[in-house]
Amino acid sequence: MASAADIKDELFASAIPGKKEILSSFFKSGEGEYGEGDQFIGVSVPQQRAIVKQFAPLCLDEISILLASEYHECRMIALLFLVHLYKSNKKNEAVKKEIYDFYLNHTKGINNWDLVDLSAPYIVGDYLLGKDRKILYTLSKSKNMWERRISIVSTITFIRNNQFIDTLQLCDILISDKEDLLNKATGWMLREIGKRDYDLEFNYLKEHYTQMSRTSLRYAIEKFDKEVRDAFLKGQI
């Protein structure tokens, strides 16, 4: 079985010239930005998925080493390995619980929006289908912005199963969040609800849109007809 060192070596061998600088800018790693201090190797997500396919499975101890890395791609590929491990054990509740607990115990390394979005729905969201979801409400009130994003983005799994209540209740909590990346996430989840139940999203927005940030609102109404979008943006609903 491969080690974390093997995977790191493979990532560096796969680096694309100039990609590191592009990723550093895209993920806002400059001073005062949300990804301040993050470091990059310069490897695309499709390349990382190919490495996972080549080397999987990777044990939790090795995944934890990668998740503690200063390099963004090491943390990303750790999560891709973790998702692969979870999906490979879909019928083993004990292993799924172990992976779910591992994930929540390692949120320190899940510290950018792409890391959350490519992992939380497939581990946290999937595990909590049919289970108590109090943990999401705890995470939604965390001082850690990424834990708050985990709470809401995980619910896309519920939405895909036509379960909308938790998403709406979490939106109630996060509706006044000051972080732009949380505003985008709540708007995104509301839009996903609207794809499946237009009236439910519309009525929720009608009641709450004056309390929402413009970012959340714009994301939420993106699929509405232009006339309806304009009415929301002008405060005429």
Side-chain angles (χ1 to χ4, degrees), residues 133-143 147-148 151 170 173:
R133 299 168 185 177
K134 284 189 296 186
I135 184 61
L136 297 182
Y137 295 87
T138 300
L139 292 172
S140 74
K141 298 173 184 177
S142 171
K143 293 180 180 179
E147 290 188 346
R148 300 201 302 278
S151 75
L170 287 164
I173 295 170

Side-chain angles (χ1 to χ4, degrees), residues 22-205:
I22 293 170
L23 292 173
S24 180
S25 175
F26 183 75
F27 287 107
K28 308 297 183 187
S29 64
E31 185 177 354
E33 296 181 308
Y34 63 75
E36 181 177 353
D38 207 354
Q39 297 185 47
F40 294 84
I41 299 169
V43 187
S44 69
V45 173
Q47 287 176 292
Q48 291 180 62
R49 290 191 185 280
I51 294 171
V52 172
K53 186 175 182 180
Q54 179 183 353
F55 287 96
L58 196 65
C59 72
L60 292 179
D61 286 344
E62 299 301 318
I63 289 173
S64 69
I65 293 171
L66 290 170
L67 261 181
S69 173
E70 71 273 29
Y71 290 105
H72 189 99
E73 290 94 337
C74 285
R75 301 195 305 281
M76 170 59 83
I77 206 166
L79 293 166
L80 294 176
F81 272 112
L82 195 63
V83 170
H84 180 278
L85 192 62
Y86 184 93
K87 289 181 176 180
S88 298
N89 288 276
K90 285 287 276 186
K91 296 183 179 180
N92 190 326
E93 282 297 317
V95 174
K96 286 165 59 179
K97 174 68 161 57
E98 182 182 15
I99 294 169
Y100 164 80
D101 288 339
F102 175 93
Y103 186 92
L104 292 180
N105 287 327
H106 289 80
T107 56
K108 184 177 179 180
I110 309 170
N111 57 354
N112 214 312
W113 61 264
D114 60 325
L115 305 181
V116 172
D117 297 358
L118 288 177
S119 61
Y122 307 104
I123 296 175
V124 178
D126 186 88
Y127 183 76
L128 293 178
L129 280 172
K131 297 184 179 69
D132 185 280
R133 299 168 185 177
K134 284 189 296 186
I135 184 61
L136 297 182
Y137 295 87
T138 300
L139 292 172
S140 74
K141 298 173 184 177
S142 171
K143 293 180 180 179
N144 182 319
M145 170 173 71
W146 307 116
E147 290 188 346
R148 300 201 302 278
R149 188 169 174 109
I150 287 170
S151 75
I152 189 65
V153 171
S154 293
T155 70
I156 196 170
T157 306
F158 309 157
I159 295 169
R160 289 167 178 164
N161 285 270
N162 295 313
Q163 300 174 21
F164 308 131
I165 293 174
D166 289 289
T167 303
L168 296 178
Q169 291 179 344
L170 287 164
C171 283
D172 286 346
I173 295 170
L174 296 168
I175 200 166
S176 59
D177 202 290
K178 303 303 182 185
E179 294 288 350
D180 187 59
L181 287 169
L182 266 296
N183 298 156
K184 290 177 178 178
T186 53
W188 170 25
M189 291 304 109
L190 289 168
R191 185 176 73 230
E192 291 299 316
I193 288 176
K195 290 178 182 179
R196 294 157 179 82
D197 191 330
Y198 175 90
D199 290 340
L200 182 61
E201 185 196 3
F202 181 90
N203 289 330
Y204 180 87
L205 291 175

